[in-house]
Amino acid sequence: GSEELAAVREALEEAQLKAAASEELEGLRVDLAGAEEAKAEALAAAEAAREELSEARASIEQAQVEVKSQKEELEALQGRMSEVEEEKASALAAVRAMEKELAGSREDAETSATAALEAEEQLDALKARVEDAEKGRAAAEASASRGSEEL
């Protein structure tokens, strides 16, 4: 009887060890599943961060293109402003020459004066466009700067 009792005890202990090992194995399986889920979430978050970074880079590139375009437009407007300044100076010189040569011909002098006034109006309009372009360029540069800071 005592041998049978010892065998039963041994079998019981072995069964308890197997049950504990099974429980531990199941716990490890649950932990592994949780770790795999966390890994998948981390990979998804990394991909989302890559996409955000890519969008931020595209936004910065777009802002840089806008800044370049504003600078080119500003340079073109400044060039045109110089041309109008020259046209104005030329028209005023013509008015003075006509006033000297044709003191009696008032109608010709009035025509030249009108041309000078029109040139001055064009110059004023161009100056306003230059100011607008400078404001646009400053805004685009500020946008590019903010985009860089976001990175």
Side-chain angles (χ1 to χ4, degrees):
S2 71
E3 285 180 18
E4 281 181 27
L5 186 59
V8 168
R9 276 192 187 139
E10 193 176 308
L12 183 60
E13 285 175 5
E14 195 175 311
Q16 286 174 336
L17 286 173
K18 283 182 182 177
S22 279
E23 254 182 63
E24 189 173 333
L25 183 59
E26 185 56 32
L28 290 173
R29 284 188 183 126
V30 169
D31 289 348
L32 178 61
E36 286 175 350
E37 188 177 322
K39 176 184 170 187
E41 289 173 5
L43 289 173
E47 183 58 30
R50 272 192 219 101
E51 286 177 21
E52 285 181 27
L53 180 60
S54 177
E55 288 171 11
R57 283 189 181 135
S59 175
I60 287 171
E61 287 171 10
Q62 176 66 29
Q64 288 169 338
V65 167
E66 289 174 18
V67 167
K68 184 179 178 191
S69 173
Q70 292 287 341
K71 284 181 181 176
E72 289 171 358
E73 185 179 336
L74 180 61
E75 288 170 8
L77 288 172
Q78 287 170 335
R80 181 63 185 132
M81 191 169 78
S82 295
E83 290 173 15
V84 171
E85 284 278 8
E86 290 172 16
E87 289 172 13
K88 176 185 169 186
S90 175
L92 289 173
V95 167
R96 288 188 198 103
M98 283 183 192
E99 284 175 346
K100 288 179 185 174
E101 291 176 20
L102 307 170
S105 178
R106 187 173 176 181
E107 191 174 318
D108 289 348
E110 287 177 358
T111 301
S112 292
T114 300
L117 289 174
E118 287 173 357
E120 191 154 23
E121 288 173 5
Q122 284 184 345
L123 178 63
D124 290 343
L126 278 171
K127 283 180 182 176
R129 286 178 61 195
V130 166
E131 287 177 15
D132 289 347
E134 286 174 341
K135 288 177 187 173
R137 177 180 55 94
E141 285 175 347
S143 174
S145 176
R146 283 193 302 276
S148 292
E149 289 173 7
E150 287 177 9
L151 276 184

